[in-house]
Amino acid sequence: MTIPPRTLDHIVLTVRDLEAAKNRFEALGFTVTPKAQHLWGTANRVVQLPGGSFIEIITVERPELVESFGRGLPSGALDFGAFNQNYLAEREGFSMLVLTGQDCAADKADFATIGGHPAFEFERQTTLPDGSAAKVAFSLAFASDPALPNCGFFTCHNHFPDVFWKPAFQSHANGATDIARVVMAAPNPAQHEAFLAHFTGQPASPIEGGLRFPLVGRELLVVEPDRINDLFPGHSVKHDGAHFVGIQIMGSSVVDEDLFGMLLATAR
């Protein structure tokens, strides 16, 4: 089966204080959804963008559930709650890149050759703009690379997009419309080319100090740390190894440094 090129679904922003992050985003002119909880101990809020991508702001709210839920996962599964809990032990920031999935079984089979894991399906309640509740459900196919231990990767198949996506949540005072670019810093971008080309379904093209992977109207840049200041003026990478470091948003009057402070994976 031929897997089509994958596009961006969302990014995961892992924070210690969900309400403080929500207040920060609102102060920057974003509309943020009501809080939702997961059975495995995390809680999230979402910034939906009308172009079709979103930011998932997530925290570990009930740590006692992370361990108990993880014990029930099948062998080889990627434990979403534990991954983000471990991430928070070192830093806050942009922890996971999520591409759009249409067929979870096909994605799982495709990722088996690059470090795949058992698929994961779940449903939860969401709060609609009028305050009522409705069910949403998702199927996730995970991939991982030992050379990228601090970066999570999966595809997400949204089974009820009409319930999840609401115009009232997609109107932002700052004019934000979509995530245009995802940026990773890596000392040796070429080391990650094969994995990322397979994950995105697109070959890389060389750019100054790194690589560019198309994401169907968006892009992933993997660049040497010295290039971060060119993309986010006034900022530098404050960690070792490869990490996601930021995003750039189309249409927004918010300057990069305002968002960068939320999305930069800084060492504690």
mmCIF file of all heavy atoms in Angstrom, residues 167-187:
data_model
loop_
_atom_site.group_PDB
_atom_site.id
_atom_site.type_symbol
_atom_site.label_atom_id
_atom_site.label_comp_id
_atom_site.label_asym_id
_atom_site.label_seq_id
_atom_site.Cartn_x
_atom_site.Cartn_y
_atom_site.Cartn_z
ATOM 1 N N PRO A 167 -15.827 26.683 14.579
ATOM 2 C CA PRO A 167 -15.416 28.044 14.195
ATOM 3 C C PRO A 167 -15.190 28.965 15.382
ATOM 4 O O PRO A 167 -14.299 29.818 15.344
ATOM 5 C CB PRO A 167 -16.575 28.519 13.315
ATOM 6 C CG PRO A 167 -17.149 27.264 12.735
ATOM 7 C CD PRO A 167 -17.017 26.235 13.821
ATOM 8 N N ALA A 168 -15.971 28.806 16.442
ATOM 9 C CA ALA A 168 -15.823 29.693 17.607
ATOM 10 C C ALA A 168 -14.460 29.543 18.260
ATOM 11 O O ALA A 168 -13.953 30.486 18.881
ATOM 12 C CB ALA A 168 -16.923 29.401 18.625
ATOM 13 N N PHE A 169 -13.857 28.359 18.138
ATOM 14 C CA PHE A 169 -12.533 28.132 18.715
ATOM 15 C C PHE A 169 -11.412 28.547 17.760
ATOM 16 O O PHE A 169 -10.249 28.568 18.153
ATOM 17 C CB PHE A 169 -12.353 26.657 19.076
ATOM 18 C CG PHE A 169 -13.211 26.170 20.206
ATOM 19 C CD1 PHE A 169 -13.721 24.878 20.196
ATOM 20 C CD2 PHE A 169 -13.511 26.984 21.278
ATOM 21 C CE1 PHE A 169 -14.504 24.413 21.236
ATOM 22 C CE2 PHE A 169 -14.297 26.528 22.335
ATOM 23 C CZ PHE A 169 -14.794 25.236 22.313
ATOM 24 N N GLN A 170 -11.739 28.838 16.502
ATOM 25 C CA GLN A 170 -10.723 29.103 15.486
ATOM 26 C C GLN A 170 -10.554 30.584 15.165
ATOM 27 O O GLN A 170 -9.794 30.933 14.260
ATOM 28 C CB GLN A 170 -11.083 28.342 14.208
ATOM 29 C CG GLN A 170 -11.107 26.837 14.397
ATOM 30 C CD GLN A 170 -11.691 26.131 13.195
ATOM 31 O OE1 GLN A 170 -11.346 26.438 12.054
ATOM 32 N NE2 GLN A 170 -12.601 25.202 13.430
ATOM 33 N N SER A 171 -11.242 31.448 15.891
ATOM 34 C CA SER A 171 -11.124 32.893 15.681
ATOM 35 C C SER A 171 -10.197 33.465 16.738
ATOM 36 O O SER A 171 -10.463 33.352 17.938
ATOM 37 C CB SER A 171 -12.508 33.542 15.781
ATOM 38 O OG SER A 171 -12.410 34.945 15.652
ATOM 39 N N HIS A 172 -9.099 34.075 16.290
ATOM 40 C CA HIS A 172 -8.069 34.557 17.214
ATOM 41 C C HIS A 172 -7.856 36.054 17.020
ATOM 42 O O HIS A 172 -7.700 36.530 15.885
ATOM 43 C CB HIS A 172 -6.769 33.792 16.986
ATOM 44 C CG HIS A 172 -6.929 32.307 17.107
ATOM 45 N ND1 HIS A 172 -7.033 31.670 18.324
ATOM 46 C CD2 HIS A 172 -7.057 31.336 16.152
ATOM 47 C CE1 HIS A 172 -7.191 30.371 18.123
ATOM 48 N NE2 HIS A 172 -7.212 30.146 16.817
ATOM 49 N N ALA A 173 -7.826 36.769 18.125
ATOM 50 C CA ALA A 173 -7.696 38.220 18.063
ATOM 51 C C ALA A 173 -6.404 38.654 17.381
ATOM 52 O O ALA A 173 -6.330 39.752 16.822
ATOM 53 C CB ALA A 173 -7.772 38.803 19.473
ATOM 54 N N ASN A 174 -5.370 37.804 17.422
ATOM 55 C CA ASN A 174 -4.085 38.174 16.816
ATOM 56 C C ASN A 174 -4.007 37.828 15.331
ATOM 57 O O ASN A 174 -2.986 38.069 14.697
ATOM 58 C CB ASN A 174 -2.936 37.509 17.573
ATOM 59 C CG ASN A 174 -3.032 35.998 17.593
ATOM 60 O OD1 ASN A 174 -3.564 35.384 16.681
ATOM 61 N ND2 ASN A 174 -2.528 35.394 18.657
ATOM 62 N N GLY A 175 -5.066 37.237 14.771
ATOM 63 C CA GLY A 175 -5.094 36.938 13.346
ATOM 64 C C GLY A 175 -4.452 35.631 12.941
ATOM 65 O O GLY A 175 -4.303 35.357 11.749
ATOM 66 N N ALA A 176 -4.067 34.787 13.893
ATOM 67 C CA ALA A 176 -3.400 33.529 13.566
ATOM 68 C C ALA A 176 -4.282 32.634 12.710
ATOM 69 O O ALA A 176 -5.476 32.494 12.975
ATOM 70 C CB ALA A 176 -3.011 32.796 14.846
ATOM 71 N N THR A 177 -3.690 32.024 11.671
ATOM 72 C CA THR A 177 -4.474 31.184 10.769
ATOM 73 C C THR A 177 -3.963 29.752 10.657
ATOM 74 O O THR A 177 -4.748 28.839 10.392
ATOM 75 C CB THR A 177 -4.501 31.784 9.353
ATOM 76 O OG1 THR A 177 -3.156 31.878 8.852
ATOM 77 C CG2 THR A 177 -5.157 33.158 9.362
ATOM 78 N N ASP A 178 -2.665 29.517 10.817
ATOM 79 C CA ASP A 178 -2.160 28.163 10.622
ATOM 80 C C ASP A 178 -0.704 28.097 11.080
ATOM 81 O O ASP A 178 -0.011 29.118 11.158
ATOM 82 C CB ASP A 178 -2.245 27.773 9.140
ATOM 83 C CG ASP A 178 -2.346 26.276 8.908
ATOM 84 O OD1 ASP A 178 -2.294 25.512 9.890
ATOM 85 O OD2 ASP A 178 -2.485 25.868 7.743
ATOM 86 N N ILE A 179 -0.242 26.883 11.370
ATOM 87 C CA ILE A 179 1.182 26.669 11.600
ATOM 88 C C ILE A 179 1.861 26.534 10.238
ATOM 89 O O ILE A 179 1.527 25.644 9.454
ATOM 90 C CB ILE A 179 1.432 25.409 12.449
ATOM 91 C CG1 ILE A 179 0.805 25.570 13.842
ATOM 92 C CG2 ILE A 179 2.938 25.134 12.570
ATOM 93 C CD1 ILE A 179 0.878 24.314 14.694
ATOM 94 N N ALA A 180 2.778 27.417 9.960
ATOM 95 C CA ALA A 180 3.465 27.401 8.669
ATOM 96 C C ALA A 180 4.722 26.548 8.699
ATOM 97 O O ALA A 180 5.075 25.909 7.702
ATOM 98 C CB ALA A 180 3.838 28.823 8.264
ATOM 99 N N ARG A 181 5.387 26.540 9.842
ATOM 100 C CA ARG A 181 6.708 25.907 9.893
ATOM 101 C C ARG A 181 6.946 25.337 11.281
ATOM 102 O O ARG A 181 6.628 25.957 12.292
ATOM 103 C CB ARG A 181 7.772 26.944 9.569
ATOM 104 C CG ARG A 181 9.207 26.470 9.697
ATOM 105 C CD ARG A 181 10.176 27.580 9.332
ATOM 106 N NE ARG A 181 10.123 27.862 7.884
ATOM 107 C CZ ARG A 181 10.595 28.968 7.331
ATOM 108 N NH1 ARG A 181 11.079 29.928 8.099
ATOM 109 N NH2 ARG A 181 10.547 29.124 6.025
ATOM 110 N N VAL A 182 7.508 24.144 11.304
ATOM 111 C CA VAL A 182 7.950 23.479 12.528
ATOM 112 C C VAL A 182 9.467 23.412 12.475
ATOM 113 O O VAL A 182 10.044 23.089 11.424
ATOM 114 C CB VAL A 182 7.354 22.061 12.625
ATOM 115 C CG1 VAL A 182 7.930 21.320 13.815
ATOM 116 C CG2 VAL A 182 5.831 22.119 12.700
ATOM 117 N N VAL A 183 10.128 23.710 13.593
ATOM 118 C CA VAL A 183 11.588 23.780 13.592
ATOM 119 C C VAL A 183 12.164 22.849 14.658
ATOM 120 O O VAL A 183 11.743 22.853 15.810
ATOM 121 C CB VAL A 183 12.079 25.220 13.849
ATOM 122 C CG1 VAL A 183 13.612 25.269 13.827
ATOM 123 C CG2 VAL A 183 11.504 26.181 12.818
ATOM 124 N N MET A 184 13.126 22.050 14.228
ATOM 125 C CA MET A 184 13.910 21.202 15.132
ATOM 126 C C MET A 184 15.364 21.624 15.041
ATOM 127 O O MET A 184 15.859 21.934 13.948
ATOM 128 C CB MET A 184 13.780 19.722 14.733
ATOM 129 C CG MET A 184 14.681 18.780 15.534
ATOM 130 S SD MET A 184 14.792 17.098 14.809
ATOM 131 C CE MET A 184 13.167 16.470 15.215
ATOM 132 N N ALA A 185 16.050 21.661 16.174
ATOM 133 C CA ALA A 185 17.494 21.884 16.188
ATOM 134 C C ALA A 185 18.194 20.552 16.407
ATOM 135 O O ALA A 185 17.788 19.767 17.272
ATOM 136 C CB ALA A 185 17.879 22.869 17.289
ATOM 137 N N ALA A 186 19.232 20.287 15.628
ATOM 138 C CA ALA A 186 19.978 19.035 15.739
ATOM 139 C C ALA A 186 21.429 19.286 15.379
ATOM 140 O O ALA A 186 21.710 19.925 14.349
ATOM 141 C CB ALA A 186 19.386 17.969 14.822
ATOM 142 N N PRO A 187 22.367 18.813 16.186
ATOM 143 C CA PRO A 187 23.782 19.013 15.857
ATOM 144 C C PRO A 187 24.168 18.441 14.500
ATOM 145 O O PRO A 187 25.034 18.987 13.818
ATOM 146 C CB PRO A 187 24.508 18.286 17.001
ATOM 147 C CG PRO A 187 23.530 18.292 18.135
ATOM 148 C CD PRO A 187 22.186 18.167 17.494
#
